[in-house]
Amino acid sequence: MDIIELNNENVSEYESVLEPDISESIGRMFYRGIAAVGEDNSPAGAMVWEYKNMEDEADTDAEIYLINSEGGDALASLLSEFDSQIKGSEVTMSFLELEDISEEEKKGLKDDGFEIKEGESRDIELTVEDVKSLMALKKKLGDNVVGLDELMELQFMQGVTNCLFKGKKGLVEDLEYLEKDWFDETASSCVITDGKVSGMFLIHRFSSGVLMPVLFHASGPDSKIDLLSMIAFSARRAVENYPSDTRIVIRRHNAMVKALAAKLFAGRTGREAISGCRG
Amino acid sequence: MNYKDMVIYGIAFACMAVLFFKNEHIRKRDTPDAKNIFMVLVLIVAGIVSDKCYMLYNPSFDDVNNETIFALKITLMYTLKFLRELIILFIIICWNRFVDFVVYKSLDHVKKKYKRAIIPAALFACIPIIIKYVRSPVFRELADLKRILAEWLGNWCYILQFYYVANAIWIAWKSNKERKAPTCLRLDVFVIPLVAGYAFNYIYAILPVDIWINYPFLIDWLTTFDARFPFLVLAAVLTWGTVKKRYRYMDPINGFYNKEFLADMNDYMEKSGYPNGIGVYFKVPRSEGRLIPVLNSIKPEDSEIFSLGEDEYLLMAGPQKESVIRLLIKSVKLGLAGVDDSLAVTSDYLIREKEESPEAFTKRLLDKAAAMS
């Protein structure tokens, strides 16, 4: 089975084995994707992962976002190529959380050394209708809370630089490489203090229309109030601009987000998912 | 005014005159620190004048024999008191904003915070008037809206003074907890004389009874003399003393630390958590300071900018990836192009190595700066 390295030019040829929301990330700095092709050059499977902490001092990890195979041979080839590539990148730990995975793929991962378990997903799914109540978090918004569409390019760069210097990158490993228009400029919001962006609530809109907050940070003496203001502002923008059934996915990737999600959306839980870890 | 007051105020005026005439920065008001100190000095003079007017104006009913005119004179008296308290309030706010800004470097935060106390203080100011109204029949007879308003305004200013003094102490304490400034750079020397001034005004209340009996002239003086102004003069003099020490290590115009600070303060910087992981150089020849507002607008929090002289600047921050440093440099170049696209920025950076001591890193930074020059 041949393995093809996915890139911006060829990714559209493998749409049948990829998911649109994941394939749009092919070409990003730390994303890697491979596809397995059969003898007839038809796609037989694909695997997409992202390197974490690649340019940091911390150990490099790899998170698998997609594994899709149409048979044992494709799966074995994909996993073999994955192992080879992560070895070259000195990856210490590999992990995954997937909702849609077959028994064969589960077994393949186990055989490849992954410890697999079933449990609740870290993601909770909401709709725009569900976030209407967040508009009331801050009844009167100051004029220092603005949408991303109101920021100039330089201000955006300054805000991102400020977050990165504070060690905050959210869910975005390649934050310093992304352009402003990668984020949803309608729903994303920022706080400006003394003419400088001191807080950012950045949301990405996937090609399927799903909204996902990817960075949520504020600094300075009024940071707690600013965080609430940004949530209220973004909720208002989402309600005004998107249909009420538009999906929003909150990834509870750290303790702070978990606690905040539990407070704002009490009782909401994630779906069943398979998680795995190796290393 | 008795001779004791004249001596004390004479010394205070002499100190202010020396401070003014011996310091070119204060005379020219060419730095933010100097402007603040000058404003404080002007307010102190105005405050002393209003205080003396208030203390000397002592209307008596026997002089006018008319309730209406007497009530108006009482109103005027309270208005003079209100004016005095307002001036002291302005002095304290002036200094508060200055120190708050030095600590938080956020004018927006300062503006927001200083509005929050106004309404609670206004409500608290009603309490002494209500107590007077309940307890004193004389007050009720002479009460009229103008007099009550003047007294209420004076109380309001007085309560706000306590709030801002407490705020100043809290700012200084919080700043020391987060990152202790070296002794020569501290700006909290205003607080101690200010608090001493208030304490002195109430010292008579804790003196033993035999002092009251045996030294009535002393008690008389202590109950009528307002010590806040002389202590405020002391506070201004001490503050300027620390500001002058700061100027050894800081560019007085742009407020950036200089090469001397980098060279002399390694130990202090390391212990106080000053960012010492990367150094990013920016050099823009013949820019005449035009890079400064660009750097200030882009400078991340927890980073420090040092002025190396001749349009050369060094931005220091904690450890960062090279990609993030490159984003910062790109932002600065874009920002400067927005100001004047004929100016070219030369930039470079150094990253402190894992086992490298702060002294060795600083030396490398300064050597690199010399090489770039």
Side-chain angles (χ1 to χ4, degrees), chain A residues 30 55-57 144 153-154 157-158 160-162 164-167 169 173 175-177 179 192-196 198 219-222 225-226, chain B residues 104-109 112 116 278 295-303 315 317 320-321 323-328 330-332 334-335 354:
Chain A
F30 304 117
E55 293 177 344
D56 294 350
E57 285 186 4
N144 63 329
E153 185 66 31
L154 183 60
M157 288 165 76
Q158 176 266 310
V160 164
T161 306
N162 195 47
L164 288 166
F165 267 70
K166 285 275 194 186
K169 56 186 177 186
E173 282 298 312
L175 180 60
E176 63 268 34
Y177 297 103
E179 298 292 331
I192 298 183
T193 308
D194 297 311
K196 290 165 78 164
S198 60
S219 55
D222 296 321
I225 298 171
D226 292 342
Chain B
Y104 289 111
K105 296 194 174 29
S106 168
L107 275 174
D108 281 358
H109 163 66
K112 270 188 240 172
R116 285 182 205 150
I278 61 164
L295 284 176
N296 270 328
S297 70
I298 290 167
K299 164 181 144 15
E301 268 187 58
D302 294 345
S303 63
L315 183 146
Q320 292 301 329
K321 298 189 296 186
S323 55
V324 175
I325 298 171
R326 285 194 294 269
L327 177 64
L328 173 71
K330 188 179 166 191
S331 306
V332 170
L334 184 64
K354 266 199 178 124

Coordinates of all heavy atoms in Angstrom, one line a residue, chain A residues 30 55-57 144 153-154 157-158 160-162 164-167 169 173 175-177 179 192-196 198 219-222 225-226, chain B residues 104-109 112 116 278 295-303 315 317 320-321 323-328 330-332 334-335 354:
Chain A
F30 N 2.1 22.7 11.9 CA 2.4 21.5 12.7 C 1.5 20.4 12.4 O 1.5 19.3 13.0 CB 2.4 21.8 14.2 CG 3.3 22.9 14.6 CD1 2.8 24.1 15.2 CD2 4.7 22.8 14.4 CE1 3.7 25.1 15.5 CE2 5.5 23.9 14.7 CZ 5.0 25.0 15.3
E55 N 8.2 23.6 18.8 CA 9.2 24.6 18.9 C 9.5 25.0 20.3 O 10.2 26.0 20.5 CB 8.9 25.7 18.0 CG 8.9 25.4 16.5 CD 8.5 26.6 15.6 OE1 7.9 27.6 16.1 OE2 8.7 26.5 14.4
D56 N 8.8 24.4 21.2 CA 9.0 24.7 22.6 C 10.0 23.9 23.3 O 10.5 22.9 22.7 CB 7.7 24.5 23.4 CG 6.5 25.4 23.0 OD1 6.8 26.3 22.2 OD2 5.4 25.1 23.3
E57 N 10.4 24.3 24.5 CA 11.3 23.5 25.2 C 10.7 22.2 25.8 O 11.4 21.2 26.0 CB 11.9 24.3 26.4 CG 12.9 25.3 25.9 CD 13.6 26.0 27.1 OE1 13.3 25.7 28.2 OE2 14.3 27.0 26.8
N144 N -14.7 49.3 25.1 CA -13.3 48.7 24.9 C -13.4 47.3 24.4 O -12.4 46.7 24.2 CB -12.5 48.8 26.2 CG -13.1 48.0 27.3 OD1 -14.4 47.9 27.4 ND2 -12.3 47.5 28.2
E153 N -4.9 45.0 11.3 CA -3.9 43.9 11.3 C -2.8 44.1 12.3 O -2.5 43.1 13.0 CB -3.2 43.9 9.9 CG -2.3 42.8 9.6 CD -3.0 41.4 9.6 OE1 -4.2 41.4 9.2 OE2 -2.4 40.4 10.0
L154 N -2.3 45.3 12.5 CA -1.3 45.5 13.5 C -1.8 45.2 14.9 O -1.1 44.6 15.7 CB -0.7 46.9 13.4 CG 0.4 47.3 14.3 CD1 1.6 46.4 14.0 CD2 0.8 48.7 14.2
M157 N -1.9 41.6 15.4 CA -0.6 41.0 15.7 C -0.1 41.3 17.1 O 0.5 40.5 17.8 CB 0.4 41.5 14.6 CG 0.2 41.0 13.2 SD 1.1 42.0 12.0 CE 2.7 41.4 12.2
Q158 N -0.4 42.5 17.5 CA 0.0 42.9 18.9 C -0.7 42.1 19.9 O -0.1 41.6 20.9 CB -0.2 44.4 19.1 CG 0.0 44.9 20.5 CD -1.2 44.9 21.4 OE1 -2.3 45.4 21.0 NE2 -1.0 44.4 22.6
V160 N -2.0 39.0 19.5 CA -1.5 37.7 19.5 C -0.1 37.6 20.1 O 0.2 36.7 20.9 CB -1.4 37.2 18.0 CG1 -0.6 35.9 17.9 CG2 -2.8 36.9 17.5
T161 N 0.7 38.6 19.9 CA 2.1 38.6 20.4 C 2.0 38.6 22.0 O 2.7 37.9 22.7 CB 2.9 39.8 19.9 OG1 2.9 39.8 18.5 CG2 4.3 39.8 20.4
N162 N 1.1 39.5 22.4 CA 0.9 39.6 23.9 C 0.4 38.3 24.5 O 1.0 37.9 25.5 CB -0.2 40.7 24.2 CG -0.2 41.1 25.6 OD1 0.9 41.3 26.2 ND2 -1.3 41.1 26.2
L164 N 1.0 35.3 23.3 CA 2.1 34.3 23.2 C 3.2 34.6 24.2 O 3.8 33.7 24.8 CB 2.7 34.3 21.7 CG 1.8 33.7 20.7 CD1 2.3 34.1 19.3 CD2 1.8 32.2 20.8
F165 N 3.5 35.9 24.4 CA 4.5 36.2 25.4 C 4.0 35.8 26.8 O 4.9 35.6 27.7 CB 4.8 37.7 25.4 CG 6.0 38.0 24.5 CD1 5.9 37.9 23.1 CD2 7.2 38.4 25.0 CE1 6.9 38.2 22.2 CE2 8.3 38.7 24.1 CZ 8.1 38.6 22.8
K166 N 2.7 35.7 27.0 CA 2.2 35.2 28.3 C 2.2 33.7 28.3 O 1.7 33.1 29.3 CB 0.8 35.7 28.5 CG 0.8 37.2 28.8 CD 0.9 37.4 30.3 CE 0.6 38.7 30.8 NZ 0.9 38.9 32.2
G167 N 2.6 33.1 27.2 CA 2.6 31.6 27.2 C 1.2 31.0 26.8 O 0.9 29.9 27.0
K169 N -1.5 30.0 24.1 CA -1.8 29.8 22.7 C -3.1 29.0 22.5 O -3.6 28.8 21.4 CB -0.7 29.0 22.1 CG -0.3 27.7 22.7 CD 0.9 27.0 22.1 CE 1.2 25.7 22.9 NZ 2.4 25.1 22.5
E173 N -1.6 25.6 18.2 CA -0.2 25.4 18.3 C 0.6 26.4 17.4 O 1.7 26.8 17.8 CB 0.2 24.0 17.8 CG -0.1 22.9 18.9 CD 0.7 23.1 20.2 OE1 1.9 23.3 20.1 OE2 0.1 23.0 21.2
L175 N -0.3 29.5 16.5 CA -0.9 30.8 16.6 C -0.1 31.9 15.9 O -0.7 32.7 15.2 CB -1.2 31.1 18.1 CG -1.9 32.4 18.4 CD1 -3.3 32.5 17.8 CD2 -2.0 32.6 19.9
E176 N 1.2 31.9 16.1 CA 2.0 32.9 15.5 C 2.1 32.9 14.0 O 2.5 33.9 13.4 CB 3.4 32.9 16.1 CG 4.2 31.7 15.9 CD 4.1 30.6 16.9 OE1 3.0 30.5 17.5 OE2 5.1 29.9 17.2
Y177 N 1.6 31.8 13.4 CA 1.7 31.7 12.0 C 0.4 32.0 11.3 O 0.3 32.1 10.1 CB 2.2 30.3 11.6 CG 3.6 29.9 12.0 CD1 3.8 29.1 13.1 CD2 4.7 30.4 11.4 CE1 5.0 28.8 13.6 CE2 6.0 30.1 11.8 CZ 6.1 29.3 12.9 OH 7.4 28.9 13.3
E179 N -3.1 33.8 10.0 CA -3.5 35.2 9.7 C -4.8 35.5 10.4 O -5.5 34.6 10.9 CB -3.8 35.2 8.1 CG -2.6 35.0 7.3 CD -1.6 36.1 7.4 OE1 -2.0 37.2 7.7 OE2 -0.4 35.8 7.2
I192 N -9.7 46.1 24.5 CA -8.6 47.0 24.2 C -8.4 47.9 25.5 O -9.4 48.4 26.0 CB -8.9 47.9 23.0 CG1 -9.0 47.1 21.8 CG2 -7.8 49.0 22.9 CD1 -9.2 47.8 20.5
T193 N -7.2 47.9 26.0 CA -6.9 48.7 27.2 C -5.7 49.6 26.8 O -4.7 49.1 26.4 CB -6.5 47.8 28.4 OG1 -7.5 46.8 28.6 CG2 -6.4 48.6 29.7
D194 N -5.9 50.9 27.0 CA -4.8 51.9 26.7 C -4.4 51.7 25.3 O -3.2 51.8 25.0 CB -3.6 51.7 27.6 CG -3.9 52.0 29.1 OD1 -4.5 53.1 29.3 OD2 -3.6 51.2 29.9
G195 N -5.3 51.5 24.4 CA -5.0 51.4 23.0 C -4.3 50.1 22.6 O -3.9 49.9 21.4
K196 N -4.2 49.2 23.5 CA -3.5 47.9 23.2 C -4.5 46.8 23.5 O -5.3 46.8 24.4 CB -2.3 47.7 24.0 CG -1.1 48.6 23.6 CD -0.1 48.7 24.7 CE 0.8 47.5 24.6 NZ 2.1 47.7 25.4
S198 N -5.6 43.7 25.1 CA -5.1 43.1 26.3 C -5.9 41.8 26.5 O -5.6 41.1 27.5 CB -5.4 44.0 27.5 OG -6.8 44.3 27.6
S219 N -5.4 39.8 30.1 CA -4.4 40.2 31.1 C -4.6 41.6 31.5 O -5.4 42.3 30.9 CB -3.0 40.0 30.5 OG -2.8 40.7 29.4
G220 N -4.0 42.0 32.6 CA -4.1 43.3 33.1 C -5.0 43.4 34.3 O -5.5 42.4 34.7
P221 N -5.1 44.5 34.9 CA -5.8 44.6 36.2 C -7.3 44.3 36.2 O -7.8 44.0 37.2 CB -5.5 46.1 36.6 CG -5.1 46.8 35.4 CD -4.5 45.8 34.5
D222 N -7.9 44.4 35.0 CA -9.4 44.1 34.9 C -9.6 42.9 34.1 O -10.7 42.7 33.5 CB -10.1 45.3 34.3 CG -10.0 46.6 35.1 OD1 -10.1 46.5 36.4 OD2 -9.8 47.7 34.6
I225 N -13.1 40.8 34.6 CA -14.2 41.5 34.0 C -14.1 41.4 32.5 O -15.1 41.2 31.8 CB -14.3 43.0 34.5 CG1 -14.4 43.0 36.0 CG2 -15.4 43.7 33.8 CD1 -14.3 44.4 36.6
D226 N -12.9 41.6 32.0 CA -12.7 41.6 30.5 C -13.1 40.2 29.9 O -13.7 40.1 28.8 CB -11.3 41.9 30.1 CG -10.9 43.3 30.5 OD1 -11.8 44.2 30.6 OD2 -9.7 43.6 30.6
Chain B
Y104 N 0.9 49.9 37.1 CA 0.0 49.1 36.2 C 0.2 49.5 34.7 O -0.2 48.8 33.8 CB -1.5 49.3 36.5 CG -1.9 48.6 37.8 CD1 -2.2 49.3 38.9 CD2 -1.9 47.2 37.8 CE1 -2.6 48.7 40.1 CE2 -2.2 46.6 39.0 CZ -2.6 47.3 40.1 OH -3.0 46.6 41.2
K105 N 0.8 50.7 34.5 CA 1.1 51.2 33.2 C -0.2 51.2 32.4 O -0.2 50.8 31.2 CB 2.2 50.5 32.5 CG 3.5 50.7 33.2 CD 4.7 50.2 32.4 CE 6.0 50.5 33.0 NZ 6.1 50.6 34.5
S106 N -1.3 51.6 33.0 CA -2.6 51.5 32.4 C -3.5 52.7 32.7 O -4.0 52.8 33.8 CB -3.4 50.2 32.7 OG -4.7 50.3 32.3
L107 N -3.6 53.7 31.9 CA -4.4 54.9 32.1 C -5.8 54.5 32.2 O -6.6 55.1 33.0 CB -4.1 56.0 31.1 CG -2.9 56.9 31.3 CD1 -2.7 57.8 30.2 CD2 -3.1 57.7 32.6
D108 N -6.3 53.6 31.3 CA -7.7 53.2 31.3 C -8.1 52.6 32.7 O -9.2 52.9 33.2 CB -7.9 52.1 30.2 CG -8.0 52.7 28.9 OD1 -7.9 53.9 28.7 OD2 -8.2 51.9 27.9
H109 N -7.2 51.8 33.2 CA -7.5 51.2 34.5 C -7.6 52.3 35.6 O -8.5 52.3 36.4 CB -6.4 50.2 34.9 CG -6.3 49.8 36.3 ND1 -7.3 49.1 36.9 CD2 -5.4 50.0 37.2 CE1 -7.0 48.9 38.2 NE2 -5.9 49.5 38.4
K112 N -10.9 54.1 35.2 CA -12.0 53.4 35.7 C -12.1 53.3 37.2 O -13.1 53.5 37.8 CB -11.9 51.9 35.1 CG -12.6 51.7 33.8 CD -12.6 50.2 33.5 CE -11.8 50.0 32.2 NZ -11.6 48.6 31.9
R116 N -14.9 54.7 40.8 CA -15.7 53.8 41.6 C -16.0 54.2 43.0 O -17.0 53.9 43.6 CB -15.0 52.4 41.6 CG -15.1 51.6 40.3 CD -14.5 50.3 40.5 NE -14.1 49.8 39.1 CZ -13.1 49.0 38.9 NH1 -12.3 48.6 39.9 NH2 -12.8 48.7 37.6
I278 N 15.1 36.7 26.8 CA 15.4 37.1 25.5 C 15.7 38.6 25.4 O 15.2 39.3 26.2 CB 14.3 36.8 24.4 CG1 13.0 37.5 24.8 CG2 14.0 35.3 24.4 CD1 12.1 37.6 23.6
L295 N 7.0 51.0 19.7 CA 7.4 50.0 20.7 C 6.4 49.9 21.8 O 6.0 48.8 22.3 CB 8.8 50.3 21.2 CG 9.9 50.0 20.3 CD1 11.3 50.4 20.9 CD2 10.0 48.5 19.9
N296 N 6.0 51.1 22.3 CA 5.1 51.1 23.4 C 3.7 50.5 23.1 O 3.1 49.9 23.9 CB 4.8 52.6 23.9 CG 5.8 53.0 25.0 OD1 6.3 52.1 25.8 ND2 6.2 54.2 25.0
S297 N 3.3 50.7 21.8 CA 2.0 50.1 21.4 C 2.0 48.6 21.2 O 1.0 48.0 21.2 CB 1.5 50.8 20.1 OG 2.3 50.5 19.0
I298 N 3.2 48.1 20.9 CA 3.3 46.7 20.6 C 3.9 45.9 21.8 O 3.7 44.7 21.9 CB 4.2 46.5 19.3 CG1 3.4 47.0 18.1 CG2 4.5 45.0 19.1 CD1 4.2 47.2 16.9
K299 N 4.7 46.5 22.6 CA 5.4 45.9 23.7 C 4.4 44.9 24.5 O 3.4 45.4 25.0 CB 5.9 47.0 24.6 CG 6.4 46.6 26.0 CD 6.8 47.8 26.7 CE 6.5 47.9 28.2 NZ 6.2 46.8 29.0
P300 N 4.8 43.6 24.6 CA 3.9 42.7 25.4 C 4.0 43.1 26.8 O 5.0 43.6 27.3 CB 4.5 41.3 25.1 CG 5.4 41.5 23.9 CD 5.9 42.9 23.9
E301 N 3.0 42.6 27.6 CA 3.1 42.8 29.0 C 4.2 42.0 29.6 O 4.6 41.0 29.0 CB 1.8 42.2 29.7 CG 0.7 43.3 29.8 CD -0.5 42.7 30.6 OE1 -0.3 42.3 31.7 OE2 -1.6 42.7 30.0
D302 N 4.7 42.4 30.7 CA 5.8 41.7 31.3 C 7.1 41.7 30.5 O 8.0 40.9 30.7 CB 5.5 40.2 31.6 CG 4.4 40.1 32.7 OD1 4.2 41.1 33.4 OD2 3.8 39.0 32.8
S303 N 7.2 42.6 29.6 CA 8.5 42.8 28.9 C 8.9 44.2 29.3 O 8.2 45.0 29.8 CB 8.3 42.7 27.4 OG 7.5 43.7 26.9
L315 N 14.4 45.3 23.8 CA 13.2 44.8 24.5 C 13.6 43.4 25.1 O 14.1 42.5 24.4 CB 12.1 44.6 23.5 CG 10.7 44.1 24.1 CD1 9.6 44.7 23.3 CD2 10.6 42.6 24.1
A317 N 12.4 40.1 27.5 CA 11.2 39.4 28.0 C 11.6 38.1 28.5 O 12.8 37.7 28.3 CB 10.2 39.3 26.8
Q320 N 11.2 32.8 25.1 CA 10.2 32.8 24.0 C 10.8 32.0 22.8 O 12.0 31.9 22.7 CB 9.9 34.2 23.5 CG 9.1 35.0 24.4 CD 7.8 34.4 24.8 OE1 7.2 33.7 24.1 NE2 7.4 34.7 26.1
K321 N 9.9 31.4 22.0 CA 10.3 30.7 20.8 C 10.8 31.7 19.8 O 10.3 32.9 19.8 CB 9.1 29.9 20.2 CG 8.5 28.9 21.1 CD 7.5 28.0 20.3 CE 6.3 28.8 19.9 NZ 5.3 27.9 19.3
S323 N 10.0 31.8 16.7 CA 8.9 32.2 15.8 C 8.1 33.3 16.5 O 7.6 34.2 15.8 CB 7.9 31.0 15.6 OG 7.5 30.4 16.8
V324 N 8.0 33.3 17.8 CA 7.2 34.4 18.4 C 8.0 35.7 18.4 O 7.5 36.8 18.2 CB 6.9 34.0 19.9 CG1 6.3 35.1 20.7 CG2 6.0 32.8 19.9
I325 N 9.4 35.6 18.6 CA 10.2 36.8 18.5 C 10.1 37.4 17.1 O 10.0 38.6 16.9 CB 11.7 36.4 18.8 CG1 11.8 35.9 20.2 CG2 12.6 37.6 18.6 CD1 13.2 35.3 20.5
R326 N 10.1 36.5 16.1 CA 10.0 37.0 14.7 C 8.7 37.7 14.5 O 8.6 38.7 13.7 CB 10.2 35.8 13.7 CG 11.6 35.4 13.5 CD 11.8 34.5 12.3 NE 11.0 33.2 12.5 CZ 11.6 32.1 13.0 NH1 12.8 32.1 13.4 NH2 10.8 31.0 13.1
L327 N 7.6 37.2 15.1 CA 6.3 37.9 15.0 C 6.4 39.3 15.6 O 5.8 40.2 15.1 CB 5.2 37.0 15.7 CG 3.8 37.7 15.7 CD1 3.2 37.8 14.3 CD2 2.8 36.8 16.5
L328 N 7.0 39.4 16.7 CA 7.2 40.7 17.4 C 8.0 41.6 16.5 O 7.5 42.8 16.3 CB 8.0 40.5 18.7 CG 8.4 41.8 19.4 CD1 7.1 42.5 20.0 CD2 9.4 41.5 20.5
K330 N 8.2 41.5 13.3 CA 7.4 41.8 12.1 C 6.3 42.9 12.5 O 6.1 43.9 11.7 CB 6.7 40.6 11.7 CG 5.9 40.7 10.4 CD 5.2 39.3 10.1 CE 4.2 39.4 9.0 NZ 3.4 38.2 8.9
S331 N 5.8 42.8 13.7 CA 4.8 43.8 14.2 C 5.4 45.2 14.3 O 4.8 46.2 13.9 CB 4.3 43.4 15.5 OG 3.8 42.1 15.5
V332 N 6.6 45.2 14.8 CA 7.3 46.5 15.0 C 7.6 47.1 13.6 O 7.4 48.3 13.4 CB 8.6 46.3 15.8 CG1 9.5 47.6 15.8 CG2 8.3 45.9 17.2
L334 N 6.0 46.6 10.9 CA 4.7 47.1 10.3 C 4.2 48.3 11.0 O 3.8 49.3 10.3 CB 3.7 45.9 10.5 CG 2.3 46.2 9.9 CD1 2.4 46.2 8.4 CD2 1.3 45.0 10.3
G335 N 4.4 48.4 12.3 CA 4.0 49.6 13.0 C 4.8 50.8 12.6 O 4.2 51.9 12.4
K354 N 20.6 27.9 28.4 CA 20.0 27.3 29.7 C 20.8 27.6 30.9 O 20.4 28.0 31.9 CB 19.9 25.8 29.4 CG 18.6 25.4 28.9 CD 18.3 23.9 29.2 CE 16.9 23.6 28.7 NZ 16.8 22.5 27.7

